[in-house]
Amino acid sequence: MTTENSTFEKENSEDYSLNSLQSLRSILTTREEQTFMSILFSSSATIRANNFGLSRKEVEKLLGVSKEDAYFHSFLSRVNQAVGRYYRLIYDEERDQVVAMLRVPARSARHTLSEEALAVLLFMFYQQEVLKHEFTLLTQLLEAFGHEIKKGSRRIQLAIDTLRKIGALEIQTESGKEDAYCLTAIGVHMFSDSFLHRMVEFSHSNQLSKEDVMKFFNRYNLYEKEGFL
């Protein structure tokens, strides 16, 4: 799930049908269409033991290719052109995850996560995407929020459980530390650029350009790889 801003909602409120999905057949081969459906399923199904999405190797196996960069990124781009109003395919090279993110209006997204879950996700996003920490410890979350929330320890843990269920974060088992968590490709991309822009402007108490915000969150290289810029 990734949020959209109010401008997107307003511009598309009168023309929000699923007709564009029909264009998949003219853009994708049958095998590519089946691969897209497999990515959709794996991005939301819990039967994969919380391993949301597919690895690039798994996607290439479904496509019948191996290590063909141009074709792999062409597939992602063509799918996004066809269904970009509703979904976005993302390949996170660092985490080796290909996931399908569902676009939802901001007014709907705000009811998806509790205030605690949103705070935890933002805290981890800042630590891992901006400060480049490998993982976030539960003790760090409790130090940051526990004293401000009644029954903080329990509510923070519930927030973590919620984020794990939707595939936004996972336990970092390689750290050798207990209660260490890292963001998944889903968690990294849940915030739209417009949301991050408003958040940074609010924290800085002044207006910032989109370029300044994207540099702050180190998102330019990521979007260039995915073909979104």
Side-chain angles (χ1 to χ4, degrees):
M1 176 193 71
T2 183
T3 61
E4 295 299 334
N5 60 29
S6 57
T7 302
F8 176 91
E9 295 177 46
K10 186 175 182 180
E11 290 177 350
N12 292 275
S13 60
E14 297 180 358
D15 184 22
Y16 201 77
S17 68
L18 295 176
N19 291 334
S20 65
L21 292 178
Q22 296 296 324
S23 62
L24 272 176
R25 294 184 177 181
S26 63
I27 296 176
L28 305 180
T29 65
T30 300
R31 188 163 192 166
E32 289 172 339
E33 189 176 3
Q34 292 174 346
T35 301
F36 170 57
M37 296 303 294
S38 295
I39 296 171
L40 270 180
F41 175 73
S42 65
S43 297
S44 59
T46 58
I47 60 172
R48 290 173 58 85
N50 292 327
N51 185 21
F52 292 83
L54 299 175
S55 68
R56 173 168 175 169
K57 185 176 182 179
E58 289 176 298
V59 173
E60 290 181 333
K61 183 177 180 180
L62 291 171
L63 292 172
V65 299
S66 178
K67 298 181 180 180
E68 294 187 20
D69 285 346
Y71 177 66
F72 176 74
H73 290 289
S74 170
F75 165 71
L76 298 181
S77 179
R78 284 182 285 117
V79 171
N80 286 326
Q81 288 176 13
V83 301
R85 179 180 291 182
Y86 315 103
Y87 296 97
R88 187 176 66 176
L89 281 193
I90 292 169
Y91 173 52
D92 189 318
E93 185 175 353
E94 181 179 346
R95 298 166 179 81
D96 190 28
Q97 283 182 289
V98 181
V99 294
M101 303 287 287
L102 175 66
R103 294 184 184 274
V104 297
R107 66 169 65 95
S108 299
R110 67 172 60 101
H111 300 299
T112 303
L113 297 177
S114 66
E115 292 181 359
E116 292 85 2
L118 179 60
V120 167
L121 187 59
L122 278 170
F123 182 86
M124 292 181 63
F125 184 91
Y126 179 76
Q127 271 206 333
Q128 297 177 30
E129 289 299 297
V130 180
L131 302 182
K132 295 303 178 182
H133 293 182
E134 185 178 355
F135 51 80
T136 300
L137 298 173
L138 176 60
T139 53
Q140 293 175 308
L141 294 171
L142 293 176
E143 288 174 3
F145 304 113
H147 64 286
E148 297 182 359
I149 303 175
K150 187 177 181 180
K151 298 182 179 179
S153 179
R154 172 177 169 75
R155 292 173 68 177
I156 292 299
Q157 191 61 60
L158 286 174
I160 291 174
D161 291 342
T162 297
L163 293 170
R164 288 185 62 194
K165 287 178 182 178
I166 64 174
L169 59 85
E170 60 188 3
I171 297 176
Q172 173 58 278
T173 57
E174 298 178 359
S175 66
K177 298 179 180 292
E178 295 183 359
D179 297 325
Y181 303 94
C182 60
L183 294 173
T184 65
I186 292 176
V188 169
H189 293 87
M190 282 188 68
F191 301 121
S192 66
D193 291 349
S194 59
F195 176 87
L196 295 176
H197 198 156
R198 293 196 303 272
M199 184 185 70
V200 176
E201 286 191 335
F202 178 80
S203 66
H204 285 67
S205 299
N206 66 306
Q207 292 186 347
L208 298 171
S209 68
K210 177 183 177 182
E211 288 73 18
D212 290 334
V213 175
M214 294 303 98
K215 287 178 182 178
F216 180 77
F217 286 109
N218 299 306
R219 284 168 77 97
Y220 264 130
N221 291 337
L222 183 65
Y223 277 88
E224 287 172 355
K225 289 178 182 178
E226 293 171 359
F228 286 108
L229 286 181

